Amino acid sequence: MATDTPTSFSLRGATARGNFTTKATSQDPYCYQVGFNNRPDTLPHGRNTPQRCKYDLFSEQLNGTSFVSSRASVQHAWFYRIRPSVAHGPLQKLDSTVNIQSCFSLSNPRVQYSPMESVWDPFPLPKDDEKINFIQGLKTICGHGDPTLKEGLAIHMYTANASMNNKAFCNNDGDMLIIPQQGRLDIQTEFGRIMVRPGEIVVIQAGIRFKIVLPDGPVRGYIQEIFGSHYELPELGPIGSNGMALPRDFEIPIASFDIDLSSWEIIYKLGGHLYSCTQDHTPFDVVAWHGNYAPYKYELSRFVNSATVDKDQSDPSIYCVLTAKSKTPGVSLADFLIFTPKWSVTANTFRPPYYHRNVNTEIMGMVYGDWYGTGHSLAPGGLSHEASFMPHGESIEKWREATTVELQAQRVSQNSIAFMFHITAHVAITDFALNASNRDVVATDMWDNIQGGFLDNLDEVNRDLAAAGFPLLEEHLGAGGVQSEKPEKEVFVNWVGRLRDLKSTKDQVVLLLNVKDV
C-alpha cells in the first residue's frame, strides 16, 4: 500500500466543522458541504480583504471566470492562508512527454483524425517494479481544439501505483472531470480533502493545486479535461423541478490545512507541457475560504433517471449529469452521460440503441459491470470511440433478438455503471492510443451476414400496393426500362431469386447494374 510520508517537519492542522456538513463513512473519512455552485459562509464577514486578516492570514483570490462575467456565471474563491501562493522558487520546464497532448490541430503530427470505430481493452496498470504516480500515469487518448484558444477538450486515461507524497499538481489548461474505475483517490486540494471511489466522480477546476494519495494501491480511471469552459448542470426543460442530478447531492470540501515546513515540488501543466518549481512549505495551508469556484464530487448512484414509459426511446440527453458550453450559443462542448440501473418498460419498441449516425463523437467507458447495449465488447477500464457521422449500432444477432423477443418490464444495467462523453465535434486520436497494444478496430465483417428481409415479403408489399391503388412492385421494375426477351414477370422472379442467394452487398449492386443480362 502506498504511503504519504513528508520528508521533514509536518503537522496536520485542522478541518473546519459546520452545521450543514455530511458525515464520514468507512469508505470516506472526510466531511463535505453540499450543493452545486454553492457559496460557503466563512470568515471574514462584510469584506474579502480586510486591512489585516485574523491570525495574520494572507487573503488571496482565485478567479475561474473573467471580472466582467455576468453575475450568474462568475466563479471565484477567496483563500485565507498561512502563506500566499506566490512564495515559491523559480519555474523550470520539465522534459516533454509524448503521452500528454493538448493541441489537436491537423498540424500536430502526434494526433490524427480517424473515422474508424475503435475499442480499447482495459488499460494496463503499472508493473510492480516501477513506481508511477498520478502525473506520470497520465496518457492522452483523444481530443479537439487547443487550451491556448480556450476551446476544446482532451480525454485521458490515468494509471498509477504510487502516491504523490510531497508533490502537487496544478492544471492551468482546463477543468478535469475524473472518473475512478479501480481504487480510491485520496485527494488533498487547497480547499480541503476529498475521497473519491469507483462509482463517484470529482471535478477539479483549472488553476487548483492538488495531490493524490492511493489508499487502496494501484488505480485506474478516466479524465475529461475541458478548455475555456466549466461544467454546469443541464437545463431540466419539460422534466420540471426534479430529476437528473440534484444540486444538493454534490459535495464540496471543507477547509483543511496543514502546518508543514518540508520541501515541496509543484508541477504545472500549460499547453500540454509540464513546468516545476519548489517551495519550503506545503501548498495546502488554507485555513478558511469562500466562493463558488471549488472542486466537488458526486455519487453517480444518486442520479434520478427519467425514461420513456410507453413507446419509443428518449434521446440520451436525459442521462446527462454535467454539461459544458461551447462558444456556439445553444451548443454544448461536451455532455457527460451515465447509464445506471433502471427499468425498461416500453411496448412495441426496439429497446437497444437503434442504428444511427450522430453529429456528436461518442467516447464510452465502463466503471464496473457489463454493458448490455453495444455491438462490441466493452470492459471496465476500457474505452470505445465512435466518430462523428459514422454509422453504428447493434449486431444482427442483437437486432434479431430485440425484434422477436416478448417484451416485458425488465431491469437493465443492473450492478453496472457505464458512461459516455458526448462531444459536439470531431476528435483526433493520439499516436499513443492508435498504437496501443490493447486497441482493436471494430471489424466490419460483423455486418456481412445482414440480409434485408424486404424481399421475403413481396407478396405482402404487392397486396398493400394494390389496396392503395398503386402499381405492383414488378410493374415498377418493368417501367424502369429492363430489356429482356423473357416475359417481364419471369425476369422479375429470377432477379429476386438471385438477390436472395447473394450474401455480398457489392454483388447485389453488380447484379442490379446488369439486370438486363438475367
Side-chain angles (χ1 to χ4, degrees):
M1 181 179 295
T3 59
D4 180 24
T5 305
T7 56
S8 61
F9 174 76
S10 176
L11 175 65
R12 175 71 61 84
T15 299
R17 290 289 184 268
N19 293 327
F20 303 101
T21 57
T22 64
K23 294 181 179 180
T25 67
S26 60
Q27 288 292 308
D28 186 343
Y30 307 128
C31 298
Y32 303 92
Q33 304 165 91
V34 296
F36 187 84
N37 205 20
N38 199 5
R39 287 182 175 271
D41 181 25
T42 57
L43 64 89
H45 294 283
R47 58 180 58 82
N48 294 313
T49 54
Q51 181 180 16
R52 186 172 181 177
C53 293
K54 193 173 183 180
Y55 311 126
D56 283 336
L57 296 172
F58 291 87
S59 59
E60 177 180 291
Q61 184 176 203
L62 174 64
N63 284 301
T65 54
S66 65
F67 293 129
V68 295
S69 297
S70 66
R71 179 180 286 267
S73 64
V74 68
Q75 294 189 36
H76 70 137
W78 278 97
F79 293 135
Y80 303 92
R81 57 193 317 148
I82 297 174
R83 292 175 180 81
S85 298
V86 72
H88 63 75
L91 285 159
Q92 59 180 357
K93 189 174 182 180
L94 300 177
D95 292 337
S96 61
T97 170
V98 297
N99 291 331
I100 297 178
Q101 297 292 323
S102 65
C103 174
F104 299 95
S105 164
L106 292 172
S107 62
N108 184 353
R110 291 174 175 165
V111 303
Q112 58 180 289
Y113 288 85
S114 171
M116 292 183 291
E117 183 179 354
S118 297
V119 179
W120 289 266
D121 292 331
F123 286 81
L125 296 169
K127 298 178 181 177
D128 293 338
D129 60 353
E130 57 183 355
K131 295 300 181 184
I132 303 296
N133 64 34
F134 177 82
I135 305 170
Q136 297 165 329
L138 286 175
K139 305 288 192 302
T140 307
I141 305 301
C142 59
H144 79 92
D146 188 318
T148 65
L149 302 175
K150 297 291 186 180
E151 178 73 3
L153 56 81
I155 306 297
H156 313 277
M157 293 294 301
Y158 71 83
T159 56
N161 62 355
S163 297
M164 289 172 59
N165 296 327
N166 278 38
K167 290 180 185 290
F169 183 56
C170 184
N171 181 21
N172 289 349
D173 283 336
D175 293 9
M176 302 177 80
L177 165 60
I178 303 174
I179 309 166
Q181 183 274 317
Q182 175 175 321
R184 288 180 299 167
L185 303 179
D186 188 345
I187 307 174
Q188 185 174 16
T189 78
E190 295 177 87
F191 293 80
R193 295 172 180 268
I194 304 173
M195 183 76 76
V196 59
R197 57 176 173 78
E200 296 178 325
I201 60 171
V202 61
V203 171
I204 302 178
Q205 294 89 338
I208 295 175
R209 295 180 291 181
F210 66 94
K211 82 166 196 177
I212 291 180
V213 173
L214 312 182
D216 303 325
V219 297
R220 176 173 53 210
Y222 309 86
I223 298 174
Q224 181 175 254
E225 176 188 9
I226 56 174
F227 311 141
S229 185
H230 298 301
Y231 290 104
E232 304 176 7
L233 293 178
E235 299 295 341
L236 290 172
I239 293 177
S241 304
N242 307 292
M244 304 175 77
L246 304 179
R248 67 189 179 98
D249 288 331
F250 289 81
E251 298 175 327
I252 308 165
I254 298 170
S256 176
F257 66 93
D258 289 349
I259 300 173
D260 182 347
L261 302 181
S262 59
S263 178
W264 280 77
E265 180 183 16
I266 316 296
I267 298 175
Y268 294 88
K269 183 168 82 72
L270 177 62
H273 298 285
L274 300 181
Y275 299 82
S276 172
C277 68
T278 59
Q279 59 187 53
D280 59 3
H281 59 278
T282 178
F284 307 117
D285 62 354
V286 176
V287 176
W289 64 270
H290 72 88
N292 63 347
Y293 190 64
Y296 53 86
K297 78 168 189 171
Y298 175 75
E299 183 180 336
L300 297 177
S301 65
R302 295 181 178 178
F303 187 79
V304 180
N305 279 299
S306 300
T308 304
V309 295
D310 182 22
K311 55 182 177 292
D312 270 358
Q313 295 188 31
S314 298
D315 291 328
S317 50
I318 63 170
Y319 305 116
C320 183
V321 178
L322 294 170
T323 186
K325 293 178 181 177
S326 71
K327 291 183 178 180
T328 304
V331 177
S332 64
L333 168 66
D335 298 318
F336 173 59
L337 317 178
I338 62 165
F339 307 102
T340 53
K342 59 183 178 293
W343 284 99
S344 179
V345 298
T346 49
N348 191 20
T349 294
F350 185 79
R351 289 183 179 178
Y354 44 76
Y355 298 103
H356 62 289
R357 292 176 291 167
N358 193 355
V359 67
N360 284 19
T361 299
E362 298 178 2
I363 307 293
M364 190 164 178
M366 284 288 300
V367 178
Y368 54 78
D370 299 311
W371 173 239
Y372 73 97
T374 184
H376 55 255
S377 174
L378 182 61
L383 203 65
S384 69
H385 162 258
E386 293 172 330
S388 170
F389 287 122
M390 295 305 296
H392 49 276
E394 294 303 322
S395 66
I396 188 62
E397 290 79 16
K398 275 279 188 181
W399 180 87
R400 289 194 185 105
E401 177 187 347
T403 54
T404 58
V405 69
E406 181 181 352
L407 296 180
Q408 298 177 344
Q410 63 181 135
R411 241 356 224 170
V412 296
S413 296
Q414 194 69 7
N415 301 316
S416 296
I417 291 182
F419 69 87
M420 181 183 292
F421 299 132
H422 219 230
I423 302 168
T424 315
H426 300 291
V427 301
I429 303 177
T430 64
D431 284 349
F432 164 80
L434 287 172
N435 298 321
S437 60
N438 60 324
R439 173 182 177 251
D440 284 322
V441 177
V442 175
T444 56
D445 60 5
M446 68 180 292
W447 315 110
D448 286 352
N449 59 346
I450 290 184
Q451 296 297 315
F454 178 78
L455 297 175
D456 296 325
N457 295 275
L458 291 177
D459 291 340
E460 183 180 358
V461 170
N462 282 324
R463 285 197 302 269
D464 290 342
L465 288 172
F470 293 109
L472 303 186
L473 193 59
E474 56 263 37
E475 295 175 15
H476 280 292
L477 180 66
V482 176
Q483 301 298 319
S484 174
E485 296 179 355
K486 299 179 181 180
E488 198 173 272
K489 179 78 172 178
E490 183 181 351
V491 172
F492 179 74
V493 170
N494 290 338
W495 174 68
V496 169
R498 288 185 62 183
L499 272 179
R500 287 171 174 166
D501 293 337
L502 293 172
K503 294 183 178 180
S504 166
T505 303
K506 178 180 177 183
D507 290 341
Q508 291 178 357
V509 172
V510 171
L511 180 60
L512 286 171
L513 294 175
N514 296 281
V515 68
K516 64 182 180 181
D517 297 326
V518 175

